[in-house]
Amino acid sequence: MLTLAPLRLLREPWNTSEGNQSNATAGASSGWCQGLSIPNELFLTLGLVSLVENLLVVVAILKNRNLHSPTYYFICCLAVSDMLVSISNLVEMLFMLLMEHGVLVIHTSIVRHMDNIIDMLICISVVSSLSFLGVIAVDRYITIFYALRYHSIMTLQRAVVTMASIWLASTVSSTVFITYSHNTTILLCLISFFLFMLVLMLVLYIHMFALARHHLHSISSQQKQPAVYRGSSLKGAVTLTILLGVFFICWGPFFFHLILIVTCPTNPFCTCFFSYFNLFLILIICNSVIDPLIYAFRSQELRRTLQEMLLCSW
């Protein structure tokens, strides 16, 4: 029975000889190295939930004029990135279920092309997600420390150029990655990009919390009104920090998987880790499910818009 394989090129260590792969597989055939059997229905359910949640976030931002700002446009793009994961997962799972039940018969060449499309969507999603998380962190940094100059620094035109550039760069880089996926250099570039963005965001957040806390303390002691604004900015920084933590937990195992493919493809521990690839995919989809919940509960304006949308639908 033919099955689709998301990121199939990354599921197994491709830079080993056939003999080493056989030994690695044999070494991973016992105990906890068997991996987890995750039903396709779980992938399908999480994909549906994620798609609906992120679609609501996108519609709410587009509908409410009060949310038409660079910050929320970046958040909207992040939601679109999550939707790409959901859509690719839904398409894959639907075809797999139809094929398993004999409802749909697809030629092998078509399956291969579908694999490439799904792989590209997931790659675009991870690159764009990382990029928009970094941009949102920079945007929040400017909001806190350059509040009076924010609208002159982060103009709508610059925001549009930034978003278009990220989507273009994500698409091009993902195309290159899929085309030359067996090249170790390409894999190292993706891993380096992930680590660079994490370090950048961590540095920005640490600086934000250190100075914002000092400013809040100083302003509160003087009993001035701007404390409310600073408090709102600090709350936004906390929100983005939570997003970063969730992203690291959900995407970290996947990137660790890539690191092991490059560094120790035949090591027994590494081959055991490879067997849990489906679990890493579940975590990626969970990231797409969790992000909208954070937006809804921590953004009062977005939460109000979502409530109005849901009430009107009833």
Side-chain angles (χ1 to χ4, degrees), residues 139-205:
D139 177 78
R140 182 55 54 186
Y141 185 88
I142 298 173
T143 302
I144 293 178
F145 299 109
Y146 300 94
L148 298 179
R149 298 172 51 198
Y150 175 80
H151 294 290
S152 61
I153 297 175
M154 188 59 69
T155 63
L156 182 59
Q157 181 179 4
R158 289 178 179 173
V160 172
V161 171
T162 300
M163 290 184 290
S165 300
I166 289 176
W167 285 118
L168 178 61
S170 299
T171 303
V172 172
S173 61
S174 298
T175 303
V176 173
F177 176 73
I178 295 300
T179 305
Y180 301 99
S181 56
H182 287 82
N183 192 317
T184 305
T185 304
I186 297 296
L187 208 57
L188 289 175
C189 288
L190 183 61
I191 296 172
S192 299
F193 178 68
F194 174 76
L195 296 176
F196 170 76
M197 294 304 298
L198 280 180
V199 172
L200 173 64
M201 287 183 276
L202 284 174
V203 170
L204 289 177
Y205 289 142

Side-chain angles (χ1 to χ4, degrees), residues 63 305-314:
K63 181 179 179 181
T305 304
L306 289 173
Q307 290 175 346
E308 292 177 355
M309 290 171 52
L310 293 176
L311 290 176
C312 289
S313 64
W314 289 99

